[in-house]
Every structure is written in C-alpha cells, then in structure tokens.
Amino acid sequence: MEPRDDPTSINHELRLLGDTEDGDMGRDDLFGSTAGIADSNDLNPSPNVTVGEGEARDEQTPNVPDSARSGSKKRARSSTSSVWLDFEALYKMQDGSNVRYAAKCHLCKAQLSANSAGGTGHLIRHLKACKLKHARTLSAMSQSMLQFNPDGSIRGWEYCPLVARMQLVRLIARDDLPISFGESVAFVEYLKLAHNPKFTPVSRFTTARDIAKYFTERRGKVIESLTCVSSVALTSDIWSGNAKEDYLSVVAHYVNNCWQLEKRIIALTLIDCSHTGENIAERVHAVVSAYGLSEKVFSITLDNASSNTSAIVKLSPTLSAYVGPMFVHQCCACHIINLIVKAGLKRLKPWLDAFRTAIAFLNSSNQRIASFKSYCMSMGVRPRKFGLDMDVRWNSTYLMLKHLIPYKSTFSVFIQTQYHPTERETLLSDAHWYIAEKVLTFLELFYDSTVALSAVYQPTSTKILHHILDFAGHLRKYENDDLLREIVVPMKSKYLKYWKNIPMLYAFAFIMDPRAKMRGFTKALSLLSQLVGTDYSSYLSEVRSNLTNLFNKYYSKFGSVIVQMPDQEPSTGKKETDWGKLYGPSITESTSTSGFGSGISTSSSSPFFMTTSASALLQAATSGTGIGSELSTYLDSDTVNQYSDSFQILNWWNEHKQTYPVLSILAKDIITVPVSTISSESAFSLTGRIIEDRRRRLKPEMVEMLACIKDWEAADARMQHTVDDKVLQEFYANFGLDDESYV
C-alpha cells in the first residue's frame, strides 16, 4: 500500500499550486506570510501546535483555544490540508461549543466561509489568486528605473536583451572591438556591477549573427534613402591589407533633401583576382546594381591607374543612362598632386635621407631616447620623439619636417654628440636645415590643398580650379630659385602633363559658383594663360558649347519641374567700381578675395579678357529660345560679392531653385562630384583598424559589414571627416615624452 501523502510536505504544496502562473515560486511565496502566522499564534497560544519543515502537524484543530478543547464533547479531527498555513480559523460559541465558521486569509485579510463540515477547495482557489495578485503588487511597488524621452518627458525603463545586443553591435563596429567582446569576463563584470545586474553575456556567434542582422537593416535604410536621390557621384579605389587580401571600395556621394552633402560607403568587397579593368568594372557594376543606382550615376572618380581607365571603358555604356558619359570618368586630383610633388622630392632624396638617418638613430635605443628627454628638459624644451616618413606618402615627409624643424638646435646638438659617422663629421649641417626649411615652406601650399580637396561635407569641384591656379603661380615663383629650381622643373613638367588641359568638370563647377560665373571663369583662364603660356581661347568656346548642350539635356530630362513663372529680366549689373575685387587692375587685391593665386600680374584690359562676355558666349545657342533663358539669365546676372570661406554654394542654389529650376539640378550634380578618392582611401583606414593583427581571421563579409556600419554610424553624426589626414597628423604630433602625454 502506497504511503499516504504528507499534507504538510513541500511536494504537496507544489501540487496544490502547480497550475498557478508563478511556476517558479520559492518556498516563501508558497507558504505565504510567516509573520501572519506568528501573529495568529500570539493571539491564540497553543504550545502543542508546531509547524516545521518536514514535520507532521499536531492532531489539534488549528488555532483552537484551550478553553474550546476542554469544553468539547469529542476530540477534534486533525486538519489535513496545508491551506491552513495561510488562513486563520475563526470560531464562535454554538450550543456550548466553539464551532469554526470562517477562515481569514493572511495576505488579503479576507474572510471566507469555513464551517467544519465544508471542504477547503474554495480556500485553495482563493489562495492561488491571492498569491498571484500579491506578487504583482510587490512587483509594481518595487523601485523602477526612469529615462528621458527626446522631448524631455520621463518614461519607465526596462532591460531588454535584444536592445542590449544591438547596442553591443554598434559599440563593436564603432570602436573596432573584438567580436567576442560581449562575452569578455571583464566587460560583463563591469556592466553587472556598475550599470545593469540583469545584463546577459553574448557569445561571439550570437554577436556575429546580430552584426549581419543590423547590417541588413541599415543597408535597407541606405537603399531607401538613395531612392529619393536623383543622382550620385561615386569614388572607388583598391587597397592591399596586411592580411594579404585586396579590397575594392565603392563610396557614394550625393545631396540630401536639405541640400547637404552626404557620403556613404556602399561596398568594401574582396577582389581576389588580378586587378584588370574587366574585374574592376564587374565588381563596381554589381555594387551599383545592388543599390539601384544604375541610372543615377553622374560620375566616377578614380586614380590614374591604367586598369581604371580600362574599367571606365567597360562601365560607360551601362552607367550613362543619367545624362550621358561626359563626366563618368574623373581623375583623382590628390593623386595628381602626389605625382607632382614626388617628382620634385626625388631630387632631394640625399638631403632628406640625412634626417631619416638621424631620426632612426634616435628612436633605435630607449636609453638614447631617455638621454634626449633629459637634455630637452635641461634646455627648457618639451621633450618628444619624431616619426619617420613613408616613401609612398609625400605628405608624411612634410609632417616629419614640420615637427622636426622647431627642435633644430636641440636635435642637432644631441645627434652631433651621440652619432659618430665614419664618412663625414656632421650628419646634419646648417645646409641641411636650410634646405629643410625651404622645402617645408615650398610644400605647405600642396599640403594645404590636399587637405582642402579631401573635404567630405564641403564641395571640392568648385575649388579645384582655384588650386590649379595657385599651383601654377607657386611653381612660377620658385622656378628661378637657386635652391629649388632642380625640383620645380620636374614638378612643372608633371603639372602640365595633367592640368594643361583643364577637365571640363572643373570649368563647369567654377562657372556654377555664383561668385564667378562666366566672367570669373574668363578671368581665370586669362591668368592661367599667362602662367603656363597656353592659349585658352578655343577651350573657352568648347566650354560654352558643352555647357549649352548639357543644359539642353537637363532641360529635356527635368523640364517638367518648371512651373509657370513670370519672365525674369537679367540684372543690370553692378557699378564698375564694385568689380574691382575680382576684375580690377590690381591682381593682388582681386586674388586676395577670390583665391586665384598670389604674385600674379595681369590686367582686365588684356585682349583675351576683352574678347569675351557672358552674353556673347551664349548668343548663338540661346537667342530666341526658351530653353537657354535660364542659363543666360544666370550668366548675365550679377556675381555674388561674398568671398569668405563661410559662403555655402549649395545653400545659395537651394535658395534660388525657384528662379533656376533646371539649372539648379545641373549645378547640384556638378557640385556633388568629389575631385579626389580620399573618401575611398578613408574607408581603407577604417579597414586597416578592423583587420589588425589579432583579427586577421575575419571573413571578408564580416570586414565589409563592420566597415559599412562604422561609416554609416559616423554619417548619422556627420563625423565622416578626412580620417586619413587626421590619423596621419596625430601620428606625427603625439610623440611627446613629458608626463602629460603619457597619462
């Protein structure tokens, strides 16, 4: 015969309450308020009644006074239900005896009928509902965390593991952290102890899936945002990483609905084959098609590699659906600057090698660095180390000299006392420092131009012709210098190779600047003609013809956006004296405000300048037609007399898009084009930190997802600055040896 179930056992209690919603109740929850039982026993003392875990209850009716037991005619039957642990039995005198008539709940203090002849089923049901209600009340009364809404109001905060995992993905991508960071013991302990005790560790496998999910969501949003864009300008480049894998980047530049420049990395794909034009074209076309941009590409900016030229030949037929192939291929201006400068620095290699040798000598010994630190401190100079330049990056040579020259005296003396060459007495002579200072001054213009043309949120196509003029004047200024003549000659030869024939995009972008228009462009060609000895009369006619043809294409494509507006009369023009800032007889005054260069002398009465005017340039194309009225009105109107860098060209066109509905679209597309591939190279800087020595096993798909997420997160905060130059500058600047730099 099976043993009888002990009514006071824990298992019996669990079976009674097993169908409640709180399946994980602890023993305290099951047995209710212990304090309530103690209070009941105090009111009705019964020394023979004991309740203990695993013990049988005394065979007396619960909570019966001694007087009741002594006056009863027969012994009361023991209570077998454990429900009496949570209820107080209430008695009353009837026919000379105490009779149980009700039960009082310890939790809610409610009284239920409980005569001796009745059962306890209703008490059990009440207990289940009461415990559940009590648990919810305790949860509501517990302290909750609050957080602020964007509008300043307050709402309750609850920990959500899914939100925590998505935020972990953002953290990993933005700070280049390991995929397994979410299961790091130190990180988990930090979060649990300092921020959120409920945080659950996340394995690297879960994190990898979360990265893919988050990338897919963000990619969908990028594609959706690009559907509202009429055109995009692309940049692309190839990078060879330390993991012996080559990646091709594709970056999209466009103007958003608020007429602000935007940039998005849309691909960082592995190119595990030869870098032929066909392979490059195949991958670029696949990316463009995946993002739905096949009919929106206005231009693609690439470097001057021959394979890129071959790739454009294959891409042009498929990417010319927007307005034709005129601007599909653009060469990287910063790459051309790099070729120009490197052509001259080759002549200075013996002199620069002396500085490289001295810096390498100092950095090769920790004791030597400590000695140099002590020497600098004794001389009252902040101690620091110096970084070596890189052969493939001339701007690193500029930064090396820039941070070394201020330490000319201390560095020379220390090196002279420590270094003992075998072939010559002094490693760094006064002649070395003189050449270094001259070279630093000479290279400053090229370095500043490279930084300016690498901007992300400012148009660069409207600036490039200014820099070309500056380069021409700069080379002419130094071509007769006794020291720099040897490096200027090859640089000027390289300059004429690439920029003697001005790209048509540069001309159009310059004209779309309302501060220049056709009159300013004519003046710029006049200055350039004197500097390089080239006649640009035929080029001016070519620009006029191509600009008219391009505008006609835009009119055919976007003419429907024109609303009925009254005919606008061209402006009468400013006073003659107001043009002095740009076209006055003193070129020094005009160039100081318009940025055409320095040290150039010309006159507004030159034959080249006097033979052209805005109305004459477009007379044949626009006379008697409504198509060219927008263009001719713009070119014949006054130029904007604002020459500071704070002037926003895109804002100006946005404000005048009602006046020039079609021309504003053309201007927006031209201004959007970046003249360099720095944006693609910055993607490689991000990738270089993603694929570091400890993360070389990352799959190419994961590398692309992390790079894109990091770029898109930076885009949301508009922090996609020229990462490459910033990192390079910090590399050479942050070499302090004082205590503050080490903190």
Side-chain angles (χ1 to χ4, degrees):
M1 185 175 181
E2 294 184 2
R4 183 179 178 182
D5 188 14
D6 185 359
T8 63
S9 67
I10 298 295
N11 292 333
H12 181 73
E13 298 291 342
L14 290 175
R15 277 189 290 274
L16 288 175
L17 301 176
D19 58 343
T20 63
E21 294 183 44
D22 296 342
D24 295 331
M25 280 187 182
R27 183 177 181 273
D28 291 338
D29 290 329
L30 286 171
F31 288 102
S33 174
T34 307
I37 298 177
D39 294 342
S40 174
N41 291 333
D42 290 340
L43 293 174
N44 304 284
S46 177
N48 295 327
V49 179
T50 59
V51 179
E53 184 175 353
E55 298 180 0
R57 189 176 174 89
D58 183 46
E59 295 183 358
Q60 297 293 329
T61 303
N63 304 324
V64 179
D66 292 339
S67 59
R69 287 197 296 269
S70 60
S72 60
K73 296 182 179 180
K74 73 174 182 177
R75 190 179 183 89
R77 187 171 59 89
S78 63
S79 300
T80 59
S81 176
S82 62
V83 74
W84 293 108
L85 294 173
D86 295 282
F87 285 90
E88 176 188 356
L90 301 180
Y91 294 85
K92 64 180 179 179
M93 293 297 298
Q94 184 176 352
D95 299 332
S97 300
N98 265 351
V99 179
R100 188 178 65 199
Y101 71 93
K104 183 178 180 180
C105 178
H106 289 315
L107 292 179
C108 65
K109 308 304 179 182
Q111 293 186 12
L112 288 80
S113 62
N115 57 58
S116 302
T120 57
H122 65 295
L123 299 181
I124 294 175
R125 290 190 294 273
H126 171 83
L127 183 61
K128 291 180 182 179
C130 191
K131 283 183 177 291
L132 181 60
K133 181 179 179 180
H134 183 67
R136 290 174 177 174
T137 302
L138 290 177
S139 177
M141 293 176 60
S142 62
Q143 185 177 7
S144 61
M145 298 184 66
L146 303 177
Q147 67 179 6
F148 287 96
N149 294 315
D151 59 356
S153 60
I154 299 176
R155 70 178 186 272
W157 178 86
E158 293 184 2
Y159 171 67
C160 178
L162 294 179
V163 174
R165 284 162 49 184
M166 288 300 103
Q167 295 304 315
L168 178 63
V169 167
R170 297 181 62 212
L171 177 64
I172 289 174
R174 293 166 69 180
D175 285 348
D176 307 312
L177 299 173
I179 305 298
S180 59
F181 187 71
E183 59 184 358
S184 167
V185 175
F187 175 68
V188 173
E189 183 177 308
Y190 163 73
L191 278 186
K192 284 192 172 183
L193 295 179
H195 296 283
N196 184 10
K198 297 181 180 180
F199 177 77
T200 304
V202 186
S203 70
R204 62 183 183 275
F205 303 105
T206 301
T207 301
R209 292 192 296 268
D210 290 341
I211 291 174
K213 179 181 179 181
Y214 187 70
F215 169 76
T216 303
E217 294 176 356
R218 289 302 307 263
R219 183 175 179 270
K221 293 180 180 178
V222 171
I223 294 176
E224 182 180 358
S225 65
L226 290 174
T227 57
C228 304
V229 175
S230 60
S231 68
V232 295
L234 304 179
T235 62
S236 182
D237 204 355
I238 296 178
W239 173 74
S240 297
N242 296 329
K244 306 302 179 184
E245 293 178 331
D246 298 341
Y247 287 85
L248 180 141
S249 69
V250 181
V251 181
H253 300 257
Y254 58 94
V255 175
N256 61 23
N257 294 332
C258 298
W259 285 69
Q260 294 177 325
L261 279 174
E262 298 278 2
K263 184 206 86 171
R264 297 291 187 278
I265 297 177
I266 59 176
L268 189 68
T269 180
L270 181 69
I271 178 168
D272 52 355
C273 53
S274 59
H275 303 171
T276 62
E278 183 176 357
N279 291 332
I280 294 174
E282 178 183 352
R283 281 159 176 77
V284 171
H285 185 267
V287 173
V288 171
S289 300
Y291 280 81
L293 302 175
S294 299
E295 297 183 355
K296 296 184 177 183
V297 177
F298 181 79
S299 71
I300 304 178
T301 304
L302 307 169
D303 61 27
N304 298 318
S306 58
S307 57
N308 288 331
T309 305
S310 302
I312 289 297
V313 173
K314 296 182 177 298
L315 285 172
S316 292
T318 58
L319 299 182
S320 301
Y322 186 61
V323 288
M326 179 180 292
F327 299 127
V328 167
H329 185 202
Q330 295 297 318
C331 295
C332 176
C334 291
H335 186 254
I336 295 175
I337 296 175
N338 180 63
L339 296 176
I340 293 172
V341 176
K342 289 180 67 176
L345 290 182
K346 289 180 181 179
R347 307 295 180 91
L348 296 175
K349 189 176 185 301
W351 298 91
L352 296 175
D353 282 346
F355 291 99
R356 297 181 180 117
T357 302
I359 294 174
F361 172 75
L362 174 63
N363 295 340
S364 62
S365 169
N366 291 334
Q367 292 79 9
R368 202 171 293 133
I369 293 175
S371 299
F372 181 69
K373 176 182 178 181
S374 300
Y375 177 68
C376 289
M377 294 177 68
S378 66
M379 298 298 294
V381 179
R382 180 187 176 186
R384 61 161 296 156
K385 293 196 303 181
F386 304 96
L388 281 171
D389 63 339
M390 294 166 274
D391 292 338
V392 296
R393 305 186 64 177
W394 72 269
N395 47 357
S396 66
T397 303
Y398 170 82
L399 292 173
M400 179 185 72
L401 296 177
K402 179 181 179 180
H403 291 93
L404 181 63
I405 288 177
Y407 286 78
K408 171 183 175 180
S409 57
T410 54
F411 188 78
S412 294
V413 172
F414 182 83
I415 293 297
Q416 185 174 353
T417 57
Q418 298 286 329
Y419 186 75
H420 303 288
T422 57
E423 299 180 358
R424 52 188 175 185
E425 296 181 357
T426 304
L427 177 60
L428 297 177
S429 63
D430 292 340
H432 285 89
W433 290 106
Y434 177 74
I435 292 175
E437 290 174 351
K438 291 278 289 187
V439 170
L440 181 67
T441 303
F442 177 73
L443 293 180
E444 184 176 6
L445 175 66
F446 297 96
Y447 180 83
D448 292 342
S449 295
T450 301
V451 173
L453 296 176
S454 305
V456 175
Y457 300 123
Q458 294 294 329
T460 56
S461 58
T462 57
K463 299 178 181 179
I464 181 61
L465 190 54
H466 292 279
H467 292 281
I468 290 178
L469 283 164
D470 289 340
F471 296 153
H474 196 63
L475 293 174
R476 184 173 181 177
K477 176 181 177 181
Y478 284 96
E479 65 181 353
N480 295 322
D481 187 279
D482 294 336
L483 179 62
L484 299 178
R485 183 187 302 115
E486 292 186 1
I487 69 174
V488 171
V489 171
M491 291 176 66
K492 188 173 183 179
S493 176
K494 192 72 70 172
Y495 169 91
L496 293 174
K497 175 182 177 181
Y498 289 103
W499 282 333
K500 179 180 180 181
N501 297 324
I502 304 172
M504 196 63 61
L505 175 75
Y506 298 177
F508 287 2
F510 193 88
I511 295 171
M512 291 298 109
D513 188 335
R515 297 171 294 182
K517 301 186 179 180
M518 188 64 76
R519 300 178 186 181
F521 178 66
T522 304
K523 182 63 176 181
L525 290 184
S526 176
L527 296 174
L528 194 60
S529 177
Q530 298 179 41
L531 291 171
V532 301
T534 302
D535 183 10
Y536 287 101
S537 300
S538 60
Y539 177 72
L540 187 62
S541 301
E542 185 181 358
V543 170
R544 173 197 65 191
S545 176
N546 288 335
L547 180 58
T548 303
N549 293 336
L550 182 62
F551 178 78
N552 290 341
K553 290 183 179 180
Y554 270 77
Y555 189 90
S556 301
K557 187 178 183 68
F558 300 104
S560 59
V561 303
I562 299 178
V563 296
Q564 294 295 328
M565 294 184 302
D567 295 336
Q568 300 188 16
E569 297 293 336
S571 302
T572 58
K574 298 180 180 179
K575 294 181 180 180
E576 202 64 32
T577 55
D578 292 338
W579 290 97
K581 294 182 178 180
L582 189 59
Y583 304 115
S586 174
I587 191 62
T588 303
E589 182 183 1
S590 65
T591 56
S592 65
T593 57
S594 59
F596 285 146
S598 59
I600 307 170
S601 175
T602 187
S603 172
S604 61
S605 60
S606 62
F608 179 83
F609 177 71
M610 293 298 293
T611 55
T612 59
S613 67
S615 58
L617 288 172
L618 294 171
Q619 183 177 3
T622 64
S623 59
T625 65
I627 295 179
S629 60
E630 245 186 80
L631 182 59
S632 60
T633 300
Y634 168 75
L635 296 176
D636 284 338
S637 62
D638 295 342
T639 56
V640 176
N641 191 17
Q642 298 181 25
Y643 303 110
S644 65
D645 293 337
S646 60
F647 178 74
Q648 300 293 327
I649 297 177
L650 278 173
N651 287 348
W652 188 92
W653 280 106
N654 184 29
E655 294 170 357
H656 292 79
K657 61 185 178 183
Q658 297 297 330
T659 305
Y660 309 109
V662 174
L663 190 62
S664 61
I665 300 175
L666 170 60
K668 180 179 66 174
D669 291 344
I670 292 176
I671 293 173
T672 303
V673 179
V675 297
S676 72
T677 59
I678 295 296
S679 57
S680 290
E681 294 180 12
S682 65
F684 301 143
S685 297
L686 299 178
T687 308
R689 290 188 288 275
I690 294 173
I691 315 177
E692 58 179 3
D693 292 338
R694 296 174 298 173
R695 307 175 76 185
R696 293 189 179 183
R697 295 180 61 185
L698 288 178
K699 295 182 179 180
E701 297 82 4
M702 181 60 67
V703 172
E704 179 179 31
M705 289 188 291
L706 291 174
C708 289
I709 291 174
K710 184 171 185 177
D711 177 75
W712 297 341
E713 292 287 329
D716 293 342
R718 293 191 69 80
M719 296 179 61
Q720 299 167 303
H721 303 297
T722 51
V723 179
D724 218 21
D725 288 328
K726 184 178 179 181
V727 172
L728 193 64
Q729 292 174 16
E730 292 177 350
F731 174 78
Y732 288 95
N734 297 332
F735 271 112
L737 292 174
D738 52 342
D739 294 337
E740 292 182 0
S741 64
Y742 280 167
V743 174

